[in-house]
Amino acid sequence: MGEDPIYSPFFGVMGATSAMVFSAMGAAYGTAKSGTGIAAMAVMRPEAIMKSMLPVIMAGIIAIYGVVVAVLIAGELTATGYTLFKGFVHLGAGLSVGLSGLAAGYAVGAVGDAGVRGTAQQPRLFVGMVLILIFAEVLGLYGLIVAIYLYAKK
């Protein structure tokens, strides 16, 4: 085969950037949206604040998925010997985890906000909120699985 194009690493860098930026945006939105719900709920039931931190924790986990993939991709970046195929695969992996993390963060934020407000009024709602949060969080995990599978391609 011929020499690898000089711009090949650009796609890998964009993959690492996409993984981190989009998953962090999702985590930030989920944290902010859930945090406002916690603040509103704390007025009615201050004793339930710590129990209501679960959506914020789950939103933060989404960012960790992006960090893992970004570090994996960044570890393979080199100025020479980096093929165009590898660059495209790393871009796909970064977009996979990043955009699914963005979607999961939005879902966790919406569920977390409504869930903690509802739990303040009806404590039996907590288990249902946790289950829905798990299903929202797993969207980001699916993106992480696909990203790792893509990353492993040679």
Side-chain angles (χ1 to χ4, degrees):
M1 295 228 145
E3 193 175 311
D4 297 322
I6 194 168
Y7 56 83
S8 295
F10 170 77
F11 296 106
V13 171
M14 290 310 296
T17 302
S18 298
M20 193 60 252
V21 168
F22 290 130
S23 63
M25 286 171 58
Y29 180 84
T31 300
K33 187 83 167 143
S34 297
T36 58
I38 292 168
M41 178 276 311
V43 173
M44 293 184 286
R45 297 203 39 227
E47 70 277 3
I49 291 174
M50 291 310 293
K51 188 176 177 182
S52 298
M53 292 299 287
L54 185 64
V56 173
I57 294 166
M58 292 182 83
I61 292 169
I62 294 168
I64 294 172
Y65 298 158
V67 170
V68 168
V69 173
V71 167
L72 287 174
I73 293 170
E76 290 213 357
L77 286 171
T78 57
T80 57
Y82 192 84
T83 65
L84 196 55
F85 173 77
K86 189 181 277 190
F88 286 149
V89 167
H90 287 169
L91 176 62
L95 287 172
S96 171
V97 73
L99 293 176
S100 65
L102 182 64
Y106 272 54
V108 166
V111 171
D113 182 31
V116 297
R117 290 174 194 252
T119 301
Q121 294 175 0
Q122 176 54 263
R124 290 187 305 186
L125 184 63
F126 183 75
V127 174
M129 178 189 73
V130 170
L131 289 173
I132 297 169
L133 281 170
I134 290 170
F135 286 118
E137 175 84 23
V138 80
L139 299 174
L141 185 60
Y142 295 154
L144 176 65
I145 292 167
V146 169
I148 291 174
Y149 184 75
L150 283 170
Y151 170 80
K153 291 286 183 189
K154 297 294 174 197

